[in-house]
Amino acid sequence: MLEHGGRLRAAAEQYAAFGDWTLADWLDLSTGISPHAYPVPAIDPRCWQRLPEDDDGLDAVAAAYYGSERLLALPGSQTAIQLLPGLFAPLAVACMTPIYEEHPQAWQRAGHRVRRLENVSLPRALAVATPMIVLCNPNNPTGRRLPAAELLAVARQLQRRGGWLVVDEAFGDAEPENCLAALAGSSEAANLIVLRSLGKFFGLAGARVGFVFAAADRLALLREAIGPWPLSGPARAVASQALADRRWQAQTRQELVAAAARLTALLQPFGELSGTALFVSLATPHAASLFEHLARQAILTRHFPAHGLLRCGLPGGESEWQRLASALSTWVA
């Protein structure tokens, strides 16, 4: 099992000696999950009593939001990450790294030959001539963005040689104009597979709701692999409401962009920055030191030792912003 952000209880236990902090005192900035979660209203209590039904309207609401009916709802995009490699005969897979590490691990476990392409351009990734390219856009953990038009061109070139492009858009909701979910599996990009999630932008990570967009044959295979009732009834109800609430989505995009700009200004003195509307990544040789300094003050961020990165999510209320600013002001590299 790979390490991930959000393991707050483990962090609280590890750093208990540095302060009299309770679990509730900790500020978790390690995941990139929005601090402004969708305000879940009351749901029909029958959701808890009945088996989930696929024709409850969720697919239609999701199709309207994402712009495509070529979708499959599943319990978080992590499920697609783990099962997709099993839908293909063993082949060479190019993972554009840094990347969400579950991707290369899943392909490797399924018997594929994984090639890690560190900080390469799209033309360089194509030149490697593997039949499969896997990437995150925006990138996790760097926040690097690749233009949708360029990715679509890459998908078409891969298609001409019988290849596939897998794009993880888990952090894409704040900039939907640069997302490709609407084209995945279409006549324009039949070999494009796109993953989306309600965990980040909507702040509903605990609901475990995601979608995969692809051609019908791949979706059918994936649906068979997942089995019945992949989403709980309450999760389906909450997802339907969140995806339909366009006013909340528009307002939240504005709030997140403003918050990311504030976080960027706060971290600017400490190194080279990149990021999305949901997190800022700091490239510095002192990433480990800064991670430790913040953790000892009950502020959990995410350290990526292999890449010299510290990823920091958005604080929520003003007290959290002030607490982060105060902790940063006392750090000495």
Side-chain angles (χ1 to χ4, degrees):
M1 294 288 288
L2 296 171
E3 292 290 333
H4 294 289
R7 299 181 67 243
L8 205 57
R9 286 181 173 82
E13 182 176 346
Q14 181 178 352
Y15 292 95
F18 296 98
D20 188 21
W21 308 102
T22 68
L23 187 64
D25 293 327
W26 274 79
L27 176 54
D28 186 4
L29 306 178
S30 68
T31 64
I33 295 170
S34 173
H36 308 296
Y38 182 72
V40 178
I43 60 175
D44 188 338
R46 288 175 293 182
C47 289
W48 299 99
Q49 299 169 307
R50 297 173 57 87
L51 288 171
E53 298 179 278
D54 291 342
D55 56 355
D56 60 0
L58 172 59
D59 285 2
V61 174
Y65 174 79
Y66 293 109
S68 172
E69 296 180 350
R70 296 176 297 276
L71 60 83
L72 176 65
L74 32 72
S77 54
Q78 179 64 38
T79 300
I81 292 171
Q82 291 178 230
L83 295 180
L84 271 175
L87 306 185
F88 296 86
L91 44 71
V93 179
C95 290
M96 294 181 65
T97 61
I99 194 171
Y100 178 55
E101 280 297 319
E102 291 287 348
H103 284 288
Q105 176 168 283
W107 289 94
Q108 193 164 4
R109 279 182 171 175
H112 303 277
R113 183 165 58 89
V114 173
R115 298 192 62 178
R116 291 173 175 270
L117 308 180
E118 188 80 13
N119 294 317
V120 301
S121 64
L122 279 172
R124 176 73 183 94
L126 268 175
V128 175
T130 57
M132 174 81 69
I133 296 178
V134 180
L135 58 91
C136 297
N137 194 46
N139 182 269
N140 176 19
T142 68
R144 175 191 180 195
R145 297 167 181 79
L146 296 170
E150 290 185 23
L151 288 172
L152 189 59
V154 166
R156 288 169 176 162
Q157 292 181 64
L158 284 169
Q159 187 172 19
R160 285 196 287 271
R161 64 191 195 206
W164 295 80
L165 177 63
V166 177
V167 182
D168 185 342
E169 294 182 342
F171 286 96
D173 292 80
E175 298 179 58
E177 67 279 359
N178 197 50
C179 291
L180 287 172
L183 295 176
S186 69
S187 57
E188 292 184 68
N191 63 327
L192 173 64
I193 299 174
V194 173
L195 311 182
R196 296 294 287 268
S197 170
L198 267 68
K200 306 302 184 182
F201 172 78
F202 289 94
L204 296 174
R208 308 308 304 141
V209 178
F211 294 90
V212 60
F213 297 82
D217 59 339
R218 297 293 153 172
L219 293 180
L221 290 171
L222 192 56
R223 183 68 180 89
E224 191 70 22
I226 294 173
W229 313 300
L231 294 183
S232 72
R236 296 182 68 89
V238 169
S240 294
Q241 294 186 53
L243 290 170
D245 196 336
R246 299 306 177 88
R247 178 178 295 181
W248 180 89
Q249 294 159 16
Q251 179 180 343
T252 300
R253 287 190 181 99
Q254 294 178 355
E255 293 173 351
L256 291 177
V257 169
R262 181 177 180 180
L263 184 58
T264 298
L266 193 59
L267 294 174
Q268 194 71 57
F270 301 100
E272 183 179 348
L273 303 181
S274 58
T276 71
L278 287 160
F279 65 80
V280 173
S281 286
L282 173 67
T284 169
H286 308 295
S289 171
L290 181 53
F291 172 85
E292 286 289 327
H293 172 77
L294 294 173
R296 292 178 182 185
Q297 299 180 68
I299 300 175
L300 184 61
T301 55
R302 184 78 191 280
H303 180 213
F304 296 87
H307 307 294
L309 288 176
L310 184 80
R311 192 185 68 190
C312 184
L314 302 175
E318 186 60 31
S319 63
E320 294 184 359
W321 281 99
Q322 294 302 324
R323 186 171 160 195
L324 177 61
S326 177
L328 288 170
S329 70
T330 61
W331 177 59
V332 178

